[in-house]
């Protein structure tokens, strides 16, 4: 029984402007929306594992030349790719995250290995488990694969037949970037616990950084060991990259003043740092003085950006059955969830979200705002069986399409859990000085259903 | 109250008076107005401004009260009594046109096309798309017409540049922390103005301590157990004992289910991948 991969690149969707003109499709090949892994190749090009846009389109692997030219890309049936690593044989090892698989692709774009083939096409490993949100994969000398299996809170060493040789899961939560070190140890970013671990094959922790406090590390997602014995760490939610000594002293820092959520780094032979910047949709190379030495950014915002809220009362649907002018964002759906309609609502049916797992979904619209202006959002919300939470958010974006606030700080209305009959929800916020637009989002995480109607947004 | 408590209270009052004096320096008397709902917070602010005006020999600014057409009789009577006793120049702001379109009936269905031009413009501006709405406190449109519109009309008519309000930090969610002086940019149908909140640093308990120590007038509804007084149909009495005797620190002034939501918020913050 094969798993049908969730496709992101195949199904494109046309956007409509406010006056009904159809514009460029999303998920344009070669366009980097959400860069994950980054790797400068021996030939001077840069390999990027791109997670695609918020709506779930455009995830691909891209090889970019120094002048920004797209040299090669692979985009077949991928969903929220987190990593693409060059193998010795010249092929690319890819974690196709939402499709819960690891594949190896050759330069002719043929899949030469897929974890989906394990255990008669079930994708099951020898211990009976299945990969769940794999976000990194590296090949060891002996050809086995070290896979960082995030939602199983582990990293696992498997051979190409799915036989588990080794795994580590002691106390790590939502890890990233598990990879082998030259000394035979393994480096793991224990992201949700805000720490980095170096462990031996005997599972002994021989080095760590981070005491769990957000001041030291806030959601670290990559750590690389340098030749001088120090470790460079991607401190994602602190918008910085740091270099620390074995003794834990911070000896270098690259920090930016926006909510970058840096994901992956590579320290180059010239000591510059290659970094993927998820929030500004770019890959940058910075030197030790913090100057850009290379920049790759070919992103355009999923649009259009409206001048005022359109179709807040959901009188119109588009040809895909979605509320016109609203976007269904499913990049973080981890394979589940859907848009639903309450067809019985009077006087018009109203849309909602149904979800059933970790991750989150939202239904959103992007509207231009004036910095410093106060805005008010009103909507009626109904929920059923919400086990995580549901809320209506005003997510302000800067001019590079980056979120200004971290999730916990985004201005929002009330938080809804469980069952709630139709409730008037309001929220008020001042657009920050660096805001250019706002994404209004009906958001749900965890299981449950939520509907909205009579949405109004005004200054 | 211990001596330390009383000293702290006196200091807080002096800080508020400093802010009020700042306001009188920044704005001409005729550019200022005082919001008065008849509730404990705005009455305290009114009293503090009165103190400053008496001490400094300044004329009291205009006072205004928004009549949302769903007020407690006790509040109306309270406002009426102290307007006379304190010799206040009081303007009652009310959207008479909207009330007329509702036939004076709370809960009535109002047709948008029966409203006057200004009200129709306001309905369009907020993006309300239906042809009618219910004239009640839970209606966003109704609220806008009965609260925001009379306020904007008042600012326009009297050319007000700044208004005093009675907001406190302890009644707001953490992220929405107002400053003492906040400028609101002009928007469609809404003049730019500054909002001055001199008692932001007071807690609910500080307000009651001040009121009872200095015998500041307060509405009898609080003695009956009301903690917060808004529209009559949505204000709930949550206990039978006077507000100042209730467990202020651990029970919600406005929302009884705050606990669940705080937990959900905390969970959201902790989930790293969000």
């Amino acid at each position: 029984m094969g798993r049908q991969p969730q496709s992101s690149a195949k199904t494109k969707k046309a956007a409509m402007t406010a006056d009904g003109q159809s514009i460029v499709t999303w998920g344009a090949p070669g366009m980097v929306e959400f860069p994950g892994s980054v790797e400068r190749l021996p030939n001077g090009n840069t390999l990027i594992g791109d997670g695609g846009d918020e709506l779930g389109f455009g995830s691909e692997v891209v090889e970019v030349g120094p002048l920004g030219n797209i040299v090669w890309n692979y985009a077949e049936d991928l969903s929220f790719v987190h990593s693409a690593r060059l193998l010795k044989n010249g092929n690319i090892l890819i974690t196709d995250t939402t499709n819960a698989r690891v594949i190896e692709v050759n330069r002719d774009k043929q899949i030469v290995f897929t974890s989906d083939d394990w255990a008669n096409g079930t994708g099951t490993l020898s211990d009976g488990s299945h990969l769940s949100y794999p976000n990194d994969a590296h090949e060891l000398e002996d050809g086995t694969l070290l896979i960082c299996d995030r939602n199983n809170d582990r990293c696992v060493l498997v051979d190409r037949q799915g036989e588990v040789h080794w795994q580590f899961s002691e106390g790590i939560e939502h890890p990233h970037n598990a990879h082998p070190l030259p000394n035979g140890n393994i480096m793991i970013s224990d992201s949700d616990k805000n720490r980095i671990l170096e462990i031996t094959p005997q599972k002994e922790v021989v080095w760590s950084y981070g005491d769990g406090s957000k001041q030291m590390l806030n959601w670290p997602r990559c750590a690389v060991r340098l030749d001088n014995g120090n470790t460079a760490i991607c401190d994602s939610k602190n918008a910085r990259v740091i270099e620390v000594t074995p003794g834990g002293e911070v000896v270098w820092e690259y920090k930016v003043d926006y909510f970058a959520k840096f994901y992956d780094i590579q320290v180059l032979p010239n000591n510059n740092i290659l970094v993927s910047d998820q929030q500004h949709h770019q890959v940058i190379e910075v030197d030790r003085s913090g100057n850009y030495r290379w920049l790759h950014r070919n992103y355009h915002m999923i649009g259009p950006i409206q001048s005022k809220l359109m179709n807040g009362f959901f009188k119109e649907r588009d040809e895909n059955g979605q509320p016109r002018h609203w976007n269904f964002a499913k990049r973080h759906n981890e394979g589940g969830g859907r848009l639903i309609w309450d067809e019985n609502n009077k006087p018009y049916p109203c849309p909602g979200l149904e979800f059933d797992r970790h991750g989150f979904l939202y239904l959103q619209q992007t509207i231009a705002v004036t910095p410093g202006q106060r805005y008010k959002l009103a909507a009626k919300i109904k929920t059923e069986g919400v086990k995580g939470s549901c809320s209506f958010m005003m997510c302000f974006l800067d001019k590079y399409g980056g979120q200004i606030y971290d999730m916990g700080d985004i201005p929002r209305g009330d938080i809804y859990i469980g069952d709630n009959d139709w409730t008037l929800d309001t929220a008020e916020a001042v657009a920050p000085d660096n805001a250019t637009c706002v994404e209004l989002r009906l958001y749900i995480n965890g299981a449950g259903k939520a509907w909205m109607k009579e949405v109004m947004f005004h200054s | 109250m211990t001596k330390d408590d009383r000293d702290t209270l006196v200091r807080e009052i002096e800080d508020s008076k400093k802010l009020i004096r700042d306001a009188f320096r920044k704005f001409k008397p005729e550019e200022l107005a005082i919001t008065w709902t008849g509730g404990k917070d705005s009455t305290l602010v009114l009293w503090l401004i009165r103190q400053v005006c008496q001490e400094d020999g300044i004329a009291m600014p205009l006072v205004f009260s928004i009549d949302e057409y769903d007020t407690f009789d006790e509040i109306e009577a309270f406002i009426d009594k102290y307007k006379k006793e304190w010799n206040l120049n009081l303007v009652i702001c009310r959207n008479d046109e909207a009330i007329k379109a509702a036939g004076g009936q709370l809960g009535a269905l109002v047709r948008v096309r029966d409203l006057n031009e200004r009200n129709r413009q306001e309905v369009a501006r907020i993006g309300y798309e239906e042809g009618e709405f219910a004239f009640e406190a839970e209606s966003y449109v109704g609220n806008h017409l009965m609260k925001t519109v009379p306020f904007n009309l008042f600012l326009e008519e009297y050319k007000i540049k700044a208004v005093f309000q009675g907001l406190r930090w302890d009644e707001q969610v953490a992220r929405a922390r107002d400053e003492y002086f906040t400028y609101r940019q002009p928007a469609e149908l809404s003049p730019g103005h500054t909002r001055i909140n001199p008692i932001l640093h007071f807690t609910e308990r500080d307000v009651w301590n001040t009121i009872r120590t200095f015998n500041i007038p307060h509405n009898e509804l609080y003695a009956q157990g009301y903690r917060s007084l808004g529209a009559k149909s949505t204000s709930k009495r949550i206990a039978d004992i006077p507000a100042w005797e209730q467990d202020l620190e651990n029970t919600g002034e406005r929302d009884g289910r705050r606990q669940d939501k705080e937990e959900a918020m905390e969970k959201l913050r902790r989930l790293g991948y969000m």
Side-chain angles (χ1 to χ4, degrees):
Chain A
M1 134 197 125
R3 286 166 64 88
Q4 274 299 102
Q6 188 170 245
S7 166
S8 74
K10 278 215 163 101
T11 320
K12 293 193 175 32
K13 182 182 170 182
M16 296 273 275
T17 58
D19 58 3
Q21 297 299 311
S22 193
I23 60 174
V24 172
T25 56
W26 289 311
M31 186 171 90
V32 173
E33 293 94 359
F34 202 63
S37 67
V38 285
E39 190 175 326
R40 182 64 52 76
L41 304 177
N43 63 11
N45 297 341
T46 303
L47 187 68
I48 305 168
D50 177 24
D53 67 27
E54 294 164 85
L55 311 190
F57 300 101
S59 182
E60 60 186 317
V61 175
V62 186
E63 180 180 345
V64 172
L67 299 178
N69 45 320
I70 309 298
V71 170
W72 182 85
N73 82 322
Y74 178 80
E76 291 299 303
D77 295 323
L78 298 175
S79 189
F80 201 13
V81 161
H82 277 62
S83 71
R85 308 280 184 198
L86 181 69
L87 295 172
K88 277 210 200 62
N89 62 7
N91 293 349
I92 314 284
L93 190 65
I94 304 169
T95 48
D96 184 12
T97 303
T98 295
N99 284 328
R101 62 175 186 164
V102 174
I103 60 175
E104 177 183 339
V105 168
N106 66 19
R107 291 315 196 130
D108 292 324
K109 304 195 187 185
Q110 295 160 327
I111 297 178
V112 300
F113 159 76
T114 170
S115 61
D116 276 349
D117 284 343
W118 292 342
N120 298 314
T122 62
T124 308
L125 285 70
S126 64
D127 67 352
S129 67
H130 197 291
L131 295 177
S132 184
Y133 204 105
N135 58 25
D136 211 346
H138 289 80
E139 186 183 56
L140 272 54
E141 291 288 337
D142 61 3
T144 53
L145 304 176
L146 178 65
I147 302 175
C148 194
D149 193 13
R150 189 194 87 160
N151 284 5
N152 282 327
D153 292 324
R154 67 173 179 180
C155 51
V156 60
L157 191 66
V158 286
D159 61 27
R160 298 301 183 112
Q161 288 69 49
E163 185 72 28
V164 175
H165 290 208
W166 178 92
Q167 61 182 293
F168 178 81
S169 60
E170 270 91 296
I172 54 176
E173 278 178 28
H174 288 154
H176 287 79
N177 186 231
H179 63 274
L181 295 172
N183 63 7
N185 292 345
I186 290 132
M187 189 86 93
I188 305 169
S189 294
D190 184 7
S191 310
D192 278 17
K193 283 194 166 163
N194 298 328
R195 58 181 190 160
I196 305 296
L197 300 178
E198 177 184 350
I199 62 167
T200 64
Q202 291 72 39
K203 303 188 188 181
E204 194 193 333
V205 176
V206 292
W207 184 79
S208 73
Y209 181 79
D211 61 1
S213 71
K214 288 182 180 177
Q215 287 71 36
M216 263 185 103
L217 288 178
N218 190 354
W219 205 42
R221 294 188 290 171
C222 173
V224 302
R225 178 62 45 77
L226 310 179
D227 289 339
N228 62 8
N230 292 349
T231 306
I233 303 171
C234 218
D235 188 3
S236 287
K237 287 197 176 189
N238 281 335
R240 63 178 190 162
V241 178
I242 56 175
E243 180 180 333
V244 304
T245 64
E249 189 192 342
V250 178
V251 293
W252 180 80
E253 177 190 74
Y254 171 68
K255 189 163 165 66
V256 297
D257 60 0
Y258 60 95
F259 186 54
K261 275 164 80 174
F262 296 134
Y263 183 78
D264 192 41
I265 54 174
Q266 185 192 17
V267 181
L268 302 172
N270 59 10
N271 216 21
N272 291 350
I273 313 257
L274 189 66
V275 187
S276 52
D277 173 355
Q278 287 182 327
Q279 283 301 307
H280 280 183
H281 320 280
Q282 60 188 16
V283 174
I284 56 178
E285 177 186 334
V286 295
D287 63 25
R288 294 313 188 116
S289 303
N291 297 313
Y292 280 16
R293 302 305 294 275
W294 186 72
L295 162 69
H296 179 68
R297 180 184 152 87
N298 62 353
Y299 172 80
H300 62 80
M301 284 179 70
I302 54 169
I305 301 168
Q306 308 289 359
S307 58
K308 63 183 178 81
L309 179 67
M310 305 290 292
N311 197 25
F313 280 56
F314 306 106
K315 297 182 185 179
E316 299 176 71
R317 275 185 233 205
D318 66 19
E319 58 280 359
N320 296 315
Q322 294 189 0
R324 192 175 291 289
H325 304 301
W326 291 83
N327 297 318
F328 175 49
K330 59 180 172 66
R331 179 173 60 200
H332 300 271
N333 71 352
E334 302 190 12
R338 61 194 182 118
L339 183 76
I340 54 179
W341 284 89
D342 178 357
E343 300 287 357
N344 296 322
N345 186 66
K346 299 273 178 284
Y348 311 100
C350 62
L353 300 168
E354 180 178 5
F355 203 40
D356 62 354
R357 62 190 67 186
H358 225 222
F360 50 94
L361 282 181
Y362 41 91
L363 194 52
Q364 66 172 34
Q365 184 171 147
T366 311
I367 303 167
V369 295
T370 305
Q373 180 63 264
R374 184 174 293 254
Y375 291 91
K376 227 174 151 182
L377 172 66
K380 286 207 175 131
I381 305 218
K382 180 172 83 167
T383 67
E384 199 178 285
V386 171
K387 291 208 168 61
S389 66
C390 163
S391 58
F392 214 123
M393 305 180 179
M394 288 190 272
C395 185
F396 291 102
L397 304 184
D398 64 25
K399 65 183 175 191
Y400 297 107
Q403 220 169 273
I404 293 174
Y405 297 115
D406 192 3
M407 183 60 89
D409 302 319
I410 294 175
R412 67 177 84 224
D414 219 343
I415 298 222
Y416 296 88
I417 48 182
D419 301 319
N420 293 276
D421 202 355
W422 286 112
T423 310
L424 174 65
D425 191 32
T426 60
E428 220 177 277
V430 176
D433 290 339
N434 55 338
T436 189
C437 61
V438 66
E439 282 180 356
L440 302 184
R441 299 179 182 167
L442 175 69
Y443 164 102
I444 189 170
N445 84 294
K449 297 181 188 179
W451 297 264
M452 60 170 167
K453 64 179 181 181
E454 295 172 32
V455 183
M456 289 172 269
F457 179 76
H458 59 97
S459 58
Chain B
M1 226 186 349
T2 65
K3 182 183 183 301
D4 278 346
D5 289 340
R6 200 190 154 100
D7 287 346
T8 307
L9 208 60
V10 166
R11 214 170 31 244
E12 284 180 356
I13 292 168
E14 283 310 310
D15 286 343
S16 294
K17 284 185 172 175
K18 270 201 204 90
L19 291 158
I20 293 166
R21 290 189 163 102
D22 274 344
F24 283 123
R25 267 194 294 275
K26 288 188 164 86
F27 298 94
K28 302 200 194 83
E30 64 271 18
E31 293 175 331
L32 289 161
I34 307 166
T35 317
W36 190 27
T37 64
K40 66 182 189 306
D41 301 312
S42 61
T43 304
L44 173 57
V45 171
L46 184 59
W47 184 84
L48 289 167
I49 295 171
R50 223 173 139 249
Q51 294 275 299
V52 168
C53 287
Q54 282 168 353
E55 286 163 23
D56 296 2
I58 309 172
M60 273 287 275
L62 206 56
V63 181
F64 71 101
S65 190
I66 300 176
D67 178 359
E68 298 170 54
Y69 201 68
D70 184 16
T71 335
F72 286 95
D73 295 335
E74 292 88 338
I75 291 182
E76 275 186 28
F78 178 83
I79 288 177
D80 204 49
K81 172 173 176 178
Y82 287 97
K83 169 198 164 183
K84 293 188 182 109
E85 251 185 58
W86 290 355
N87 197 24
L88 301 171
N89 196 351
L90 175 69
V91 174
I92 303 283
C93 308
R94 191 170 50 220
N95 195 335
D96 287 316
E97 290 293 329
I99 295 169
K100 199 163 76 179
Q105 276 289 103
L106 274 174
L109 225 47
V110 177
R111 287 188 304 199
V112 175
R113 67 171 190 264
D114 290 342
L115 297 168
N116 67 2
E117 191 182 338
R118 173 64 182 248
N119 281 325
R120 281 203 309 274
Q121 282 174 338
E122 291 278 3
V123 171
R125 162 165 113 70
I126 64 173
Y128 188 75
E129 293 182 19
E130 302 298 348
E132 50 189 29
F133 62 93
F135 185 60
E136 60 187 18
E138 280 103 30
S139 153
Y140 184 71
V141 186
N143 235 279
H144 181 74
L145 291 181
M146 294 310 292
K147 245 180 155 135
T148 314
V149 174
F151 174 68
N152 288 330
L153 287 170
F154 169 74
L155 295 179
E156 279 171 23
E157 188 182 337
Y158 290 88
K159 299 192 178 25
I160 300 298
K161 295 263 160 49
V163 300
F164 288 98
Q165 289 183 315
L167 294 183
R168 303 181 337 252
W169 281 325
D170 71 338
E171 58 183 349
Q172 301 176 23
V173 291
R175 64 172 191 274
R177 202 170 161 90
D178 275 297
E179 302 295 323
Y180 288 114
F181 288 76
T182 316
Y183 177 64
R184 295 247 179 156
Q185 289 191 14
E188 201 187 334
L189 300 175
S190 175
H193 61 279
T194 299
R195 296 198 183 188
I196 309 163
N197 282 284
I199 63 166
L200 279 173
H201 49 281
F202 276 65
T203 62
E204 195 186 356
R205 183 162 296 290
D206 290 337
V207 172
W208 282 117
N209 284 344
T210 310
I211 288 174
R212 290 168 59 73
T213 304
F214 296 94
N215 280 316
I216 298 171
H218 57 278
N219 200 284
E220 68 192 84
L221 290 170
Y222 290 112
Q224 292 173 28
Y226 284 88
R227 284 277 290 283
S228 170
L229 296 175
K232 186 172 177 184
S233 51
T234 54
S235 290
K236 303 261 176 302
R237 184 168 35 176
I238 57 178
D240 279 339
I241 53 172
W244 54 88
E245 288 178 23
Q246 293 177 25
D247 186 3
L248 305 179
E249 283 75 19
N250 295 311
T251 57
E253 191 172 351
R254 278 182 164 73
D255 185 330
R257 283 175 52 227
R258 187 180 282 171
Q259 192 62 19
D260 292 341
K261 285 159 192 185
E262 280 306 314
E263 278 168 19
M265 260 308 265
E266 193 41 48
K267 215 163 132 187
L268 214 60
R269 281 196 193 97
R270 276 191 296 111
L271 285 168
Y273 65 87
M274 299 225 168

